[in-house]
Amino acid sequence: MQHHSAHEDHSHHGDNCPHKQAQQKPVNQNLPADGASIIYTCPMHPQIRQNKPGNCPICGMALEPETISAEDETDHELNDMTRRFWVSAVLSAPLAMMVMGTHFIPGLPHGWLELPWARWLQMALATPVVLWGGWPFFVRAYDSIKHRSLNMFTLIALGVGVAYFYSLIVMLLPESGLRLDLYFEAAAVITALVLLGQVLELKARAQARNAMRALLDLAPKMARIIRADSSEADILISEVQHGDLLRVRPGEKVPVDGVVVEGKSSVDQSMLTGESLPVEKNPGDKVTGATLNGTGGFTMRAERVGSETMLAQIVEMVSKAQRTRAPIQRLADEVSGYFVPVVIAIAVLTAAAWWLWGPEPKLAYAIVNAVAVLIIACPCALGLATPMSIIAGTGRGAREGVLIKNAEALEMMERIDTLIIDKTGTLTEGKPKLMEILPAAGFESDEVLKLIASLEKASEHPLAAAIVKGAQEKNITLSTVIDFASVTGKGVMGTIDGRKVALGNAALLTSFGIDSAPLTESANQLRSKGQTAMFAAIDGKAAGIISVADPIKATTADALRQLKAEGLHIVMLTGDSKATAMAVAQQLEIEDVQAEVLPDHKSEVVRQLQAQGRKVAMAGDGVNDAPALAQAQVGIAMGTGTDVAMESAGVTLVKGDLLGIVRARQLSRATMRNIRQNLFFAFIYNALGVPLAAGVLYPFFGILLSPIIASAAMALSSVSVIINSLRLRSVKL
């Protein structure tokens, strides 16, 4: 396992970063060399990683496991905070009613709270709330000081601690003559409200984890294996190995990713692709684990098992994305880093101002207003603003088949102004199909197809496979080829049922002394449609033309119209011939076309556009697209493509069509708008709250903000950020 230092992970901070001291220490604490143990990390600071539960030394939040398992794991942090909240709420409620009752209950004397038994009762109710209920806050505050990374728990512990211990001193030292008000109720109620905020936040995070766990639950628990002796048995899905033959019966879920070897059926893949219509599966076709088999049965060979399956990779990708940090969060990080020391300084100045110039009792006013400043300025809403939106946004994208690899890709997606699209497998289906058979005079189309398909059966070329499949779909029985030969740059030839057969370009026919001129015009017409035209010869005569094409995906044209309507400049990039590329471009109304581009030059095209100041996204599906996907500001891989393409990309479209890019753009805009709203709420809340808590309105209107109201407002700000972020779960894409 690779180890990093905190300095590396905080590289975006300046030299004056408040976390500078923490950066000097490794953040990977006690990690096992073999990586076998569960690793815990901080949702807000993913560079913090260790092999046991604990708290983040930077923000104080509870660490969460990196890997989500299908088992319903107990959330000990949520359970603990919930228990502390309910106990604190039960004890704080009568305490608050005691103090507030003097204002709202008619006939109740105001001085009764000064009676010794009432003061002792207040202390008795508040002490377990502060010292037991609020104990995690004091621990985290201590850690923040130890790690020189002051955070929201520093302010909470200071505010609660000052209110409680001030009241304790005033009550236990009556001989000092300080007959001042007690603020046990403020300390207790603040603790209860902060605990409530923690519970709500932890529940929101638990919901995000449960959504990912629900995806894993889609996978079947058992598989039916076919052993070497042809016997069959049901085994646990975890026992399936690479190469195992598995039987999938009607109505069952496909156990793992693999390929059909026998039988055929229709498979419902809607849980992965969102496609409502079942997809026909024949021998040689790939099937994905957790998809639902229809009425047919088939045998499959396991190719990806365990964490290698598409479903497990989706969950892993979304989980990782939820732990990454968007560039916009740097602003919140930097502000939070300086914010806490500034707030403590403001609280000290507030106390000093009230002590020097405030009314009697000066000490009480100084303490109360300083506590209010500390509590209302708690930057928890600021810290939650970006991570909660990223968690909700990436989860929403996953449900629509838009997998976001990292938060940076999600943020950049809305700023893209240029989209480069690979042709084969991206604009087109990537599966060549037999399109037309134009027999020459004296030949029948089925006769030509049978002989040519029999010849191509011996070839491994993708176009050959398309011709063979086209013949099989017409139920044409193929014959055996002998003397098969491939002529580089020209075509193939062989003998079928005693007849000499050849298929290739005009040069191949010319080498046999066959005139292809009568077929040339028809061939050119087919090429103008984007089809690959091949000349067939049988027994020394021109037998006709067979054309193969890679059909354009049904959704491509609509997706391109929507993307162009958003102002994106579309560039088609392909290694195909210029004639084929222009034919496809003409159908899709793409003006900027670069054809016959070598694989290693694709990334150079991306660099050239970036040098012009463009924000470039690259969409592709092949191994040859991987360098360009990595070079682009946002790489977009088709989920139907290769693993290396998906690994190089920041966004993966499970369904594999361009409408996914439209959805990714909409998701990016919605998420970034949500983050900006959250940051605005958090900044405005603190900008307005701190002066109010310090008492700037008191000289003019006699208005003071009580610590209890400050704590309620602080909790409300966090809750508002969480609620606003969760709106992303239902955003329309």
Side-chain angles (χ1 to χ4, degrees), residues 224 226 232 246-255 259-267 279-283 287 292-301:
R224 189 161 187 83
I226 303 174
E232 298 184 11
L246 306 172
R247 185 175 302 285
V248 183
R249 293 167 289 195
E252 289 183 338
K253 287 183 177 180
V254 177
V259 62
V260 177
V261 294
E262 184 182 339
K264 62 180 181 178
S265 183
S266 293
V267 176
V279 179
E280 192 76 24
K281 297 293 181 181
N282 295 295
V287 287
L292 184 62
N293 184 29
T295 56
F298 59 87
T299 302
M300 63 172 287
R301 181 182 297 107

Side-chain angles (χ1 to χ4, degrees), residues 420-437:
I420 300 176
I421 307 177
D422 175 55
K423 181 181 76 69
T424 306
T426 305
L427 292 173
T428 64
E429 293 181 2
K431 297 177 181 178
K433 290 184 179 180
L434 176 64
M435 302 302 289
E436 296 189 45
I437 305 163

Side-chain angles (χ1 to χ4, degrees), residues 83-286:
R83 184 167 54 249
R84 291 177 190 271
F85 163 69
W86 282 113
V87 172
S88 298
V90 168
L91 294 175
S92 298
L95 187 54
M97 286 189 287
M98 282 175 62
V99 177
M100 293 182 173
T102 58
H103 301 289
F104 300 108
I105 301 177
L108 191 64
H110 286 271
W112 78 279
L113 286 176
E114 297 297 321
L115 297 174
W117 68 268
R119 295 166 76 86
W120 281 100
L121 180 59
Q122 291 177 64
M123 188 190 78
L125 290 170
T127 297
V129 174
V130 173
L131 298 186
W132 177 77
W135 182 250
F137 307 149
F138 290 105
V139 172
R140 294 174 186 184
Y142 170 76
D143 288 340
S144 74
I145 295 170
K146 183 174 71 174
H147 291 283
R148 302 183 189 182
S149 177
L150 305 184
N151 54 49
M152 68 179 190
F153 294 104
T154 317
L155 299 183
I156 292 170
L158 275 174
V160 171
V162 167
Y164 175 78
F165 288 106
Y166 162 78
S167 302
L168 195 64
I169 292 169
V170 168
M171 197 194 80
L172 295 180
L173 299 176
E175 65 277 5
S176 65
L178 296 174
R179 297 299 297 169
L180 302 174
D181 289 337
L182 303 180
Y183 293 99
F184 285 122
E185 89 286 351
V189 173
I190 289 169
T191 301
L193 287 170
V194 175
L195 284 168
L196 174 61
Q198 290 290 294
V199 169
L200 293 174
E201 181 186 333
L202 289 168
K203 278 189 174 180
R205 288 189 178 151
Q207 287 176 357
R209 289 196 303 273
N210 289 339
M212 293 298 99
R213 194 172 286 124
L215 271 178
L216 285 174
D217 287 340
L218 293 173
K221 303 295 185 289
M222 305 291 290
R224 189 161 187 83
I225 189 171
I226 303 174
R227 304 193 189 279
D229 60 0
S230 298
S231 64
E232 298 184 11
D234 290 326
I235 62 173
L236 291 172
I237 204 77
S238 58
E239 297 175 5
V240 177
Q241 302 291 322
H242 292 272
D244 282 351
L245 286 180
L246 306 172
R247 185 175 302 285
V248 183
R249 293 167 289 195
E252 289 183 338
K253 287 183 177 180
V254 177
V256 295
D257 296 2
V259 62
V260 177
V261 294
E262 184 182 339
K264 62 180 181 178
S265 183
S266 293
V267 176
D268 180 357
Q269 300 182 151
S270 58
M271 52 79 63
L272 279 180
T273 66
E275 180 60 55
S276 58
L277 294 177
V279 179
E280 192 76 24
K281 297 293 181 181
N282 295 295
D285 290 340
K286 292 185 179 296

